[in-house]
Amino acid sequence: MGQQEKVSTSLAGAVSEGISASLAAVDAELDRRYPGDPGTRQPVHTVYVPGNVFDAGTVRSWGDQALAALDEHAPDAASFAAVLGLSDDLAEDVYGRVRAKLEREPIEDLRVDFEDGYGGDDEDRDAARAARLISEAYAKGTAAPYTGIRMKCMEAAVRDRGIRTTDVFLTGLLEHGGLPEGLVLTLPKVTYPEQVTAFVRLLEAFEKAHGLDAGRLGFEIQIETSQAILAADGTAAVARMIGAAEGRATGLHYGTFDYSACLGVSAAYQASDHPAADHAKAIMQVAAAGTGVRVSDGSTNVLPVGSTAHVHEAWRLHYGLTRRALARAYYQGWDMHPGHIPTRYAAVFAFYREGFETAAKRLSAYANHAGGDVMDEPATAKALSSYLLRGIDCGALDTAEVDALTGLTRADLDRFAAPRRGDLTASAE
């Protein structure tokens, strides 16, 4: 063995202890505010259905309509690939996976809507009916993995109605078997953090009334107003909203058309790739980073209906916007029509299939401390694992093929995707 190097220090241990003591509050604040991604599945889209239209067959109906659209306008892999510009090596695989997804799980996240577009007079009745139908669907195994409601906002004109609908719906779920694991609530048109706090108080009161665990009910915050991005004092209000949710916020959802209109963007230019949209979503993304709150992109209102030429044009637009969002790390969006979901899944599946082999080999090299043409750090390994896990969760990738190429199990991927804060910091040094 070689000569052991002498190591000398100049500072007493008390210096380090003193510094650590001075930063104890900061350490605790970092852990509280930035716990990291929850490690759970994130749906690739959210579908909104008006409360007076939603019924027991909604999920299957959307899948059947999407399949019918493919049969009529792109009956085989070659025709679908030609519309979207898919490469020959992806065409058959993506098309087959899209059809299988539409048959097996056409909607990943369903929101019964009691806000925009809801025209029923008897909201109590429809909210109670939604609770019953959702409970029955979960019991039968036919529900979307994530399901819930969007109530009216906390502004004065509709506040009481929104509170009552939330109460009716949640009470109905408890009466019909309990709160499902995939339950999601969406609070729209938030302008001030205090409105988020008020909704937290509402959910706390409901939990106490029914003896539920504190924090059982979480919710998404919909970003549809300029005040949600930039407050009157110049601060990023959306960051304060995450804090105001007191750990209950699960997502920030961008509302393309309300937000665009709020800024005065004319109807013809309201789109998720408008510079105003990019600015808002970038602020949302930075505010949410590390907090465990996920960001969702908006939607397009160009519907793939009518002639085949128009359907193809709408499909190309939707596919392009979805691919653009994925490249910007917005892994979820809204779909407004059954005709949108074939291109939602095509874009998502192509995104993960195209990058699968490279990501798997890089992660395998990192896990096995092997050399390569890219030197990755723990944070990149986290991103690579998250990429593969999202691909598996949505059906773009198969667990067996990921295992075969990486040599890692699902548990291994989960471990890489959700390291402790100290692991990332220490390993990077």
Side-chain angles (χ1 to χ4, degrees):
M1 295 180 63
Q3 183 177 356
Q4 193 170 11
E5 193 73 29
K6 179 183 177 182
V7 177
S8 302
T9 63
S10 300
L11 301 176
V15 174
S16 177
E17 293 171 3
I19 290 173
S20 292
S22 72
L23 291 174
V26 171
D27 294 339
E29 184 77 349
L30 281 170
D31 288 340
R32 183 180 71 84
R33 288 189 179 272
Y34 301 101
D37 190 85
T40 55
R41 176 181 178 181
Q42 180 180 12
V44 302
H45 70 165
T46 302
V47 164
Y48 283 82
V49 178
N52 57 340
V53 173
F54 172 72
D55 62 30
T58 292
V59 173
R60 186 62 264 152
S61 174
W62 273 59
D64 291 343
Q65 291 179 68
L67 285 165
L70 281 179
D71 290 340
E72 181 177 358
H73 302 293
D76 53 44
S79 58
F80 196 49
V83 174
L84 304 181
L86 292 172
S87 62
D88 292 342
D89 60 328
L90 281 179
E92 290 287 350
D93 191 11
V94 168
Y95 189 74
R97 287 176 185 272
V98 168
R99 292 196 70 97
K101 181 76 169 180
L102 296 176
E103 292 166 355
R104 182 185 74 253
E105 189 181 74
I107 295 176
E108 290 197 356
D109 186 25
L110 175 65
R111 208 70 72 251
V112 184
D113 193 9
F114 292 96
E115 197 226 2
D116 287 346
Y118 183 76
D121 293 329
D122 194 341
E123 193 164 330
D124 280 355
R125 178 200 63 202
D126 288 345
R129 183 174 66 91
R132 175 178 58 81
L133 292 175
I134 288 171
S135 295
E136 292 173 356
Y138 272 106
K140 295 175 182 177
T142 58
Y146 297 91
T147 307
I149 66 167
R150 175 169 69 172
M151 67 293 296
K152 290 178 175 60
C153 69
M154 298 299 282
E155 292 181 355
V158 294
R159 182 182 303 140
D160 289 345
R161 179 67 262 181
I163 291 172
R164 181 172 176 84
T165 296
T166 304
D167 187 6
V168 169
F169 175 71
L170 294 176
T171 300
L173 289 178
L174 292 178
E175 290 175 346
H176 293 286
L179 304 179
E181 285 301 314
L183 174 64
V184 187
L185 303 174
T186 303
L187 179 65
K189 291 184 175 61
V190 180
T191 54
Y192 281 80
E194 289 80 1
Q195 293 169 331
V196 174
T197 300
F199 197 64
V200 169
R201 299 289 90 82
L202 169 63
L203 298 182
E204 283 179 341
F206 188 89
E207 289 167 348
K208 290 177 181 177
H210 292 278
L212 300 173
D213 291 341
R216 170 64 180 85
L217 294 166
F219 61 97
E220 301 163 339
I221 302 170
Q222 206 154 355
I223 305 302
E224 302 174 272
T225 68
S226 60
Q227 296 93 339
I229 297 297
L230 189 68
D233 62 0
T235 60
V238 66
R240 293 168 54 207
M241 289 174 186
I242 293 173
E246 299 176 15
R248 293 177 185 264
T250 58
L252 300 175
H253 284 228
Y254 176 67
T256 305
F257 305 105
D258 282 311
Y259 186 86
S260 299
C262 181
L263 267 62
V265 178
S266 61
Y269 296 96
Q270 293 177 1
S272 61
D273 59 350
H274 189 282
D278 284 341
H279 172 262
K281 287 180 288 188
I283 298 298
M284 292 163 58
Q285 189 175 48
V286 173
T291 66
V293 178
R294 286 146 167 184
V295 175
S296 173
D297 196 6
S299 59
T300 174
N301 59 359
V302 179
L303 304 184
V305 297
S307 69
T308 294
H310 179 75
V311 169
H312 286 181
E313 182 180 357
W315 274 352
R316 279 190 289 270
L317 173 65
H318 185 248
Y319 178 87
L321 290 173
T322 303
R323 286 300 304 260
R324 183 181 190 272
L326 290 167
R328 286 159 173 76
Y330 307 130
Y331 299 113
Q332 186 174 354
W334 301 10
D335 288 326
M336 299 180 68
H337 186 274
H340 282 143
I341 54 179
T343 39
R344 169 68 61 183
Y345 291 130
V348 170
F349 293 170
F351 175 76
Y352 290 111
R353 297 302 305 176
E354 287 172 359
F356 163 51
E357 185 173 337
T358 298
K361 289 181 177 179
R362 283 178 65 179
L363 184 60
S364 178
Y366 176 86
N368 293 298
H369 306 289
D373 58 357
V374 179
M375 186 171 67
D376 289 317
E377 296 186 349
T380 305
K382 171 184 170 71
L384 291 167
S385 298
S386 297
Y387 174 89
L388 296 173
L389 287 169
R390 285 192 298 269
I392 292 171
D393 286 341
C394 71
L397 306 176
D398 301 321
T399 302
E401 66 178 341
V402 175
D403 287 352
L405 203 54
T406 63
L408 302 172
T409 66
R410 173 73 192 232
D412 293 329
L413 294 176
D414 287 333
R415 188 164 54 252
F416 279 120
R420 296 186 304 274
R421 175 182 303 281
D423 293 341
L424 282 177
T425 304
S427 298
E429 291 176 347

